[in-house]
Amino acid sequence: GGDRAVLETRSTLYRALTRAQCLAMVVNEHVPGGWLEFLAHVSLRQDEQFEPEAAMQRTEAATVETLVHAQICDALAAAAREASARPPGEEATGWLASRVASAVEGGAERE
């Protein structure tokens, strides 16, 4: 039953943590922009050979865009609170975040 599943999960976690060579992480909560959200978007493409450099570039670009999006959302929410206004919708924020992320990737400085 359920107790056996809990014990198996504990055992698996214990074995993984005690056998980890350099680093071990246990994700217990979904945090926007966090490790679990990142892992949820990782997938193997069957249509092409794996290229480590290309994968790293895609990962870095996605990380920049996620970070920029979170920072923009925070800044817009703070500005809206100060002005007693409603922050812009997700579509506008997403568009702005993608434009800023592209600029940052192109070498623009973030303030």
Side-chain angles (χ1 to χ4, degrees):
D3 290 338
R4 179 149 178 82
V6 170
L7 292 175
E8 286 180 18
T9 300
R10 284 183 186 167
S11 174
T12 302
L13 281 170
Y14 174 79
R15 285 181 281 144
L17 290 171
T18 57
R19 288 165 178 77
Q21 295 287 323
C22 297
L23 176 71
M25 288 186 199
V26 177
V27 179
N28 193 35
E29 181 179 344
H30 181 272
V31 176
W35 187 240
L36 186 58
E37 182 178 59
F38 168 77
L39 291 177
H41 294 93
V42 173
S43 62
L44 178 63
R45 294 188 58 172
Q46 300 292 334
D47 61 334
E48 65 182 43
Q49 182 72 21
F50 179 72
E51 296 289 335
E53 290 90 24
M56 186 59 76
Q57 288 175 349
R58 283 193 301 269
T59 300
E60 289 171 357
T63 300
V64 167
E65 190 161 336
T66 300
L67 177 63
V68 168
H69 186 272
Q71 290 175 342
I72 287 173
C73 286
D74 291 346
L76 290 173
R81 278 192 304 275
E82 285 180 19
S84 299
R86 195 177 68 157
E90 182 59 33
E91 185 176 337
T93 305
W95 178 84
L96 184 57
S98 68
R99 301 294 293 174
V100 172
S102 294
V104 169
E105 289 169 11
E109 291 292 319
R110 286 184 12 209
E111 293 181 21

